[in-house]
Amino acid sequence: MKYISTRGNVNEIGFIDTVLMGLATDGGLLVPEQIPHIPAEKLQSMSKLSYQELAYEIISYYVDGEIPENELKELINKSYGTFRHPEVTPVQKIKDNMYVLELFHGPTFAFKDVALQFLGNLYSYIAKKTGVTINILGATSGDTGASAIEGVRGKEGIRICILHPHGKVSRVQELQMTTVNDPTVLNLAIEGTFDDGQRIIKEIFADLEFKEKYHLRAINSINFARILAQTVYYFYAYFQVAKEQDIKNLNFSVPTGNFGDIFAGYLAKRMGLPVGKLIVATNENNILERFIKDGVYQPGEFRGTYSPSMDIQVASNFERYLYYLLDENPSAVRELMDQFKSEGKIVVGEELLRQVQVDFAAHGVRNEECLQTIKTYYADTNYLLDPHTSCGVAAYEKSSIPNEVCVTLSTAHPAKFNEAIELCNIEQTYPEQIQQLFDKPQFLEVVRADNEEIARRLKKLFSSAQ
Ligand SMILES: *Cc1c(COP(=O)(O)O)cnc(C)c1O
């Protein structure tokens, strides 16, 4: 299996180089040269596998022998052994035709653990194999940072620095990141916004000399390994629902920000999983809803919502879908991305829009609808939705298929976003692991949003012994 860039200007590389490269060097995103197709009989044989066994089957199509079988199995078992539920990502039926795929049983109670536990172990495996320490640098608005730190803490050959905007993440998110006491983990709370953090990271990565010298690696959601790990639970969910009722094509509703999670569903479909509609559920930051309805991709005004992990204007994984929409033609992708850069928007014609609407449906959920859905479901079914999952459930209800079977991806545990749950006048008890955080000391350094200052602290971390 070889990987290429959506913009066509990167020589073919293998799986491990794809993981290490992250963003393609020509500015595009890395994709498999050819998506493997799983025949129906093979799918049938996979339906009884455990989560870990299934993950091994799916992931090996893409690793394609670059990691020996026993080592890949061990890596997968280690990654999902940290989950609190024996099924890793269990499916719950909450009412007729409506299922929730709980992706929040990992260490930080959000779905990002599914990908970052795997990526953390993968980086550690690569560091061990090559004897080179990997230094990870990332910016977060909350969930990714906590999850990435949990994914790599204490692992040999790997150090991590996460920037978060000081005082601007949820209380639980801050505690999850900063209560980790480990010399290989550095939390920098910057006096500024998430965008400041993102900009600083971009500039530091652009300093190629610094990047090479310290073997700097990224953890953001454009890494193909993250998408790959997320593809597994679409298969898993399908098999669980198919055990309970006769389904032909299964619909999924996916709370979406960067288009990573929903792209994993699209990939599963292209691999041969019988997926019906993929519903893109957005909050009031609805660039994706507007694209799928009207064919115009254009950032709007930023809105603060109760589902902050979806408060995103430019969906960094969207280019991967464009590549397939444009029949895997890199020059057509380049043309549209250039158009986006110069005009601030992408417009697709009627024929392409029809294809988009075959692949996806989309619904934006307003702030009040998000809270109302949490209240209604809690009253009617006694199931407490987090505000991101609530957008997913509400989008399904607004869709044209509210009587067909649908699985909504539950991307976070409600305890992570109690700020919204309180507004619904619902009192929740925190899981023990979250409750404990409130008593732990915090380890963080507050710094100015200044590149030199941050580079200085990075050098100190990266020069420290393991
Ligand atoms: C990151 C995140 C999302 C959005 O996922 P994308 O892959 O960016 O679309 C949704 N919900 C939660 C809780 C998240 O942390």
Side-chain angles (χ1 to χ4, degrees):
M1 167 84 67
K2 292 291 174 206
Y3 294 81
I4 51 173
S5 166
T6 49
R7 300 197 191 173
N9 291 325
V10 173
N11 291 335
E12 293 178 352
I13 51 176
F15 177 74
I16 288 181
D17 286 333
T18 297
V19 174
L20 291 175
M21 189 177 283
L23 186 71
T25 45
D26 64 355
L29 300 181
L30 295 165
V31 287
E33 197 177 40
Q34 202 165 17
I35 297 175
H37 190 268
I38 307 181
E41 318 80 71
K42 172 82 180 166
L43 272 181
Q44 185 59 33
S45 78
M46 288 166 129
S47 66
K48 292 193 180 64
L49 299 180
S50 70
Y51 190 91
Q52 287 86 339
E53 289 165 339
L54 182 63
Y56 173 75
E57 291 291 329
I58 306 277
I59 291 172
S60 18
Y61 281 102
Y62 292 87
V63 172
D64 199 20
E66 279 189 50
I67 302 175
E69 178 178 337
N70 58 334
E71 291 181 274
L72 183 57
K73 280 185 175 159
E74 192 190 317
L75 200 157
I76 289 169
N77 289 341
K78 221 194 283 173
S79 301
Y80 300 111
T82 57
F83 278 61
R84 294 176 301 278
H85 198 286
E87 279 192 74
V88 184
T89 65
V91 176
Q92 305 280 359
K93 184 170 188 174
I94 48 176
K95 62 182 199 189
D96 276 350
N97 290 335
M98 185 186 278
Y99 294 81
V100 164
L101 172 60
E102 294 182 342
L103 302 173
F104 53 71
H105 294 285
T108 71
F109 293 79
F111 91 101
K112 297 207 165 60
D113 290 332
V114 178
L116 286 166
Q117 285 289 307
F118 176 66
L119 184 59
N121 283 310
L122 200 53
Y123 271 145
S124 169
Y125 171 84
I126 297 170
K128 233 179 278 170
K129 266 267 137 92
T130 59
V132 176
T133 297
I134 287 179
N135 291 312
I136 296 174
L137 177 60
T140 185
S141 58
D143 285 339
T144 301
S147 188
I149 290 172
E150 280 303 326
V152 306
R153 65 186 289 189
K155 294 207 163 84
E156 217 178 296
I158 187 157
R159 287 180 286 229
I160 184 167
C161 172
I162 295 291
L163 270 53
H164 73 267
H166 188 41
K168 293 192 181 71
V169 297
S170 90
R171 180 77 182 130
V172 171
Q173 287 173 329
E174 179 183 301
L175 289 169
Q176 284 180 332
M177 286 187 276
T178 60
T179 53
V180 175
N181 180 15
D182 189 314
T184 62
V185 175
L186 176 64
N187 277 292
L188 295 180
I190 59 169
E191 290 167 338
T193 61
F194 168 63
D195 292 324
D196 292 323
Q198 189 91 297
R199 175 182 49 78
I200 292 169
I201 299 273
K202 256 197 179 150
E203 289 169 7
I204 292 179
F205 270 101
D207 180 348
L208 294 182
E209 201 182 313
F210 189 86
K211 185 179 168 215
E212 283 303 309
K213 180 168 179 202
Y214 294 106
H215 310 286
L216 225 49
R217 302 293 173 198
I219 37 109
N220 42 18
S221 72
I222 47 97
N223 199 305
F224 184 74
R226 286 183 59 172
I227 306 281
L228 175 57
Q230 290 167 214
T231 304
V232 176
Y233 50 65
Y234 284 90
F235 285 85
Y236 190 75
Y238 181 90
F239 296 142
Q240 304 320 305
V241 174
K243 273 180 206 158
E244 284 194 17
Q245 58 188 101
D246 232 359
I247 39 166
K248 221 170 112 220
N249 290 328
L250 184 57
N251 306 295
F252 287 91
S253 180
V254 187
T256 307
N258 266 320
F259 210 78
D261 209 4
I262 191 138
F263 183 79
Y266 178 76
L267 188 61
K269 188 175 183 175
R270 304 260 323 205
M271 290 174 74
L273 187 71
V275 172
K277 269 278 181 272
L278 286 163
I279 302 173
V280 171
T282 72
N283 59 27
E284 295 190 4
N285 297 286
N286 66 343
I287 177 170
L288 292 167
E289 180 196 18
R290 285 180 282 117
F291 172 72
I292 289 161
K293 288 189 169 153
D294 310 326
V296 180
Y297 181 83
Q298 180 174 31
E301 199 182 315
F302 179 89
R303 305 265 199 131
T305 71
Y306 302 121
S307 46
S309 302
M310 292 154 61
D311 289 349
I312 286 169
Q313 287 296 330
V314 178
S316 53
N317 266 294
F318 181 64
E319 186 172 333
R320 284 201 166 100
Y321 172 61
L322 272 186
Y323 175 74
Y324 292 101
L325 179 64
L326 298 169
D327 280 333
E328 308 183 29
N329 176 351
S331 40
V333 174
R334 275 203 308 274
E335 206 171 294
L336 281 193
M337 293 316 290
D338 286 345
Q339 185 190 354
F340 185 61
K341 206 168 171 189
S342 59
E343 295 167 33
K345 64 178 175 188
I346 291 172
V347 183
V348 300
E350 228 164 84
E351 204 178 310
L352 284 182
L353 183 57
R354 261 198 302 274
Q355 182 57 46
V356 172
Q357 292 172 348
V358 170
D359 296 331
F360 298 103
H363 297 279
V365 176
R366 311 197 71 77
N367 282 340
E368 319 80 72
E369 290 174 309
C370 171
L371 295 187
Q372 191 52 51
T373 306
I374 295 175
K375 286 185 210 166
T376 307
Y377 272 80
Y378 193 60
D380 294 351
T381 68
N382 205 29
Y383 191 89
L384 185 57
L385 301 165
D386 105 287
H388 303 78
T389 311
S390 170
C391 290
V393 167
Y396 162 63
E397 287 187 339
K398 285 153 80 103
S399 73
S400 59
I401 53 158
N403 298 315
E404 291 182 27
V405 183
C406 182
V407 174
T408 297
L409 273 54
S410 179
T411 52
H413 189 288
K416 248 190 136 159
F417 298 97
N418 194 45
E419 290 83 351
I421 305 298
E422 269 182 334
L423 289 174
C424 299
N425 293 319
I426 296 170
E427 214 176 299
Q428 61 175 325
T429 8
Y430 284 142
E432 197 187 314
Q433 293 91 335
I434 288 187
Q435 188 57 47
Q436 282 169 356
L437 293 172
F438 291 91
D439 303 323
K440 291 188 179 167
Q442 288 180 256
F443 301 88
L444 77 163
E445 298 176 27
V446 182
V447 294
R448 278 177 298 123
D450 174 82
N451 294 25
E452 269 175 39
E453 174 71 19
I454 288 166
R456 205 164 53 73
R457 308 213 182 205
L458 286 177
K459 283 182 195 159
K460 198 172 134 210
L461 171 71
F462 297 161
S463 318
S464 63
Q466 270 264 305

